[in-house]
Amino acid sequence: MHHVIIGNGPAGVIAAETLRKSAPRDSITLIGDEPVPPYSRMAIPYLLIGNIEERGTWLRKGERHWAEQRIDLLCARAESVDTALRTVRLTNGQSLPFDRLLIATGSRPLSPPIPGIDLPNVHPCWTLEDARRIMQKTPKGARVLQLGAGFIGCIIMEALAERGVELTVVEAGNRMVPRMMTEGAGGLIKAWCEKKGIRVHVNARADAIEAAGAHMRVRLSNGSALEPDLVISATGVAPNIGFLAGSGIACEEGVLVDERMQTSVPGIYAAGDVSQSLDFSTGKRTVNAIQPVAADEARVAALNMAGRAALSKGNLAMNVLDTLGLIASSFGQWGGAPATEGGDFAELKDEAAFKYLRLEFQGEYLIGATSLGLTDHVGALRGLIQTRAKLGPWKARLKADPTRLMEAYLATAQAAS
C-alpha cells in the first residue's frame, strides 16, 4: 500500500507518523513545496525575534528522523489530482501513483486588491523565505506598516515589536482580531497595543501603495498617509485547494470531508487548514484553521487510511492568543446565538485592568466564551462547552458572577457522573 500526503506541515507530519505506527509495512511519501525540512509556521515569529535559528522551526529536529521512520520526503508542488488513475501530477512533470491520498496543503495568504501590493518592499509573512527577507529589512527603528490585525497578524505584530521597529497596524474591521474576539475584547487589545507604543488604525484600509524614493507612501481610507520602509501584508488566508479543480473532489470553502476525514472520493482524505469538516458547535461543515484541530484531524485521517476505524467528534473553535503579554482566548460559538433561538450572555469588563469575560448561553447550555487577561478558568470554559453540560441553576449563578466557572464545571461534572 502506498500512501501519499500532499503537504508537510503539522497535519501532514502527524498523519505520516501515525500511518507509520499503524501500517508499519506500507510505503509513505510526504510532499512539501519548500526546499527545507518540514517546519512550523507558528515558529516563524520566534525566528523573527531571534529566539531561535531556522533549525528551531523544524517539526522534527533529528537529522535521520525521516529515514528512520521510512518516510520519503519529496520537494515538489502538486499541480493536479487524477482520481480515476489515482495519481498526483507534480509541477516538475512527475506523476506519482497512490493507493491512499491525504490532502494536507493548509492555507495560502490572501493578497488584497490594493494598487502597489506587488512592490518590492511589500511582503507576506508566511514562509521561511518571507521571514529571511523581513529580517533583512527590519533593523531597529525601521518604519513598518502591517496590514491586518487578525490572529496571524497579531502574532507577527508581536515579533516585529520585539525587533524594535516603529510599527503601525491597519485593520479593516472595527476592532483587532475581529474573527476571534467580541467587540469589547478586541477594543481592549487595541488599547493594550497602543499602550505598548504601536499605532493602530481600525475601520481603515490601504487604498494605494506607491514608491516614494527609498521609502513607500501608503494612503489609507481614513485620510491618513504613511511612509513606511516596509509593508507586511497579513490580511488573511484561504484553504489551498486550487490544484484540485477538475478532480471531482468536492470543495466549497475547503475540501469537504466526513467524520472519517474522507472526501467525496473513496480513499482520498483531507485534514488541517484545507479541510471543511464538521463543526462541533453548529453541526455545519466549516474551515477551522487552528493547529489543535489539524492534529486531531490528521490522526483520524491516518487511522482510516491504515484501515483502522476512527471518527472525528467535530472541530471546536478554540483560539488562544498572546499579544505583547496580554492573553486572550475564545471558544465555541463565541459570537453567541440569536435571542430568538434562546441566545443569552453574561459579560464582565474591567478596562483599567485589561480584563474581560463574556459567556454565551443557549437555553441551559454554555455554547461559547471570550476571555481576556484571565487564564485560570480556560480549561473549565472548554470543558463546559465541549461536554455540553446542562447548567441548571448554575446558569443564573454564572450570569451573576461569570468568574464562578470552575465551580460550575465541577458541579455539572459531578451531576453527570
Side-chain angles (χ1 to χ4, degrees), residues 169-343:
V169 177
V170 173
E171 167 57 46
N174 67 348
R175 60 191 185 274
M176 297 185 73
V177 278
R179 287 168 294 280
M180 171 187 160
M181 290 277 131
T182 63
E183 189 168 349
L188 281 176
I189 294 174
K190 176 179 180 291
W192 177 265
C193 291
E194 290 172 333
K195 182 181 177 182
K196 298 291 185 178
I198 298 171
R199 300 181 183 90
V200 181
H201 297 259
V202 295
N203 291 312
R205 299 176 183 270
D207 285 338
I209 305 172
E210 303 161 348
H215 309 291
M216 289 176 288
R217 183 175 177 82
V218 182
R219 291 185 283 110
L220 303 184
S221 59
N222 62 10
S224 301
L226 307 171
E227 291 193 353
D229 302 306
L230 183 71
V231 175
I232 305 294
S233 177
T235 54
V237 297
N240 206 359
I241 58 174
F243 72 101
L244 297 175
S247 67
I249 298 170
C251 298
E252 290 179 357
E253 182 184 354
V255 181
L256 292 169
V257 295
D258 62 17
E259 63 273 16
R260 297 190 298 140
M261 306 313 298
Q262 186 168 237
T263 71
S264 59
V265 178
I268 299 180
Y269 299 78
D273 295 7
V274 76
S275 74
Q276 189 170 341
S277 57
L278 186 70
D279 185 284
F280 173 86
S281 299
T282 66
K284 299 177 181 178
R285 280 176 165 72
T286 60
V287 174
N288 194 351
I290 59 175
Q291 193 157 313
V293 168
D296 290 343
E297 292 184 349
R299 291 188 184 95
V300 170
L303 289 171
N304 283 294
M305 291 168 74
R308 295 174 56 186
L311 300 177
S312 168
K313 296 180 181 178
N315 69 70
L316 176 68
M318 177 175 56
N319 297 284
V320 179
L321 177 66
D322 182 347
T323 306
L324 303 169
L326 182 63
I327 308 298
S329 60
S330 62
F331 297 90
Q333 293 175 263
W334 58 266
T340 54
E341 297 177 12

Side-chain angles (χ1 to χ4, degrees), residues 77-82 87-96:
R77 182 184 292 271
E79 184 176 70
S80 62
V81 174
D82 190 319
T87 58
V88 177
R89 180 78 174 177
L90 306 175
T91 53
N92 63 9
Q94 183 180 357
S95 189
L96 190 65

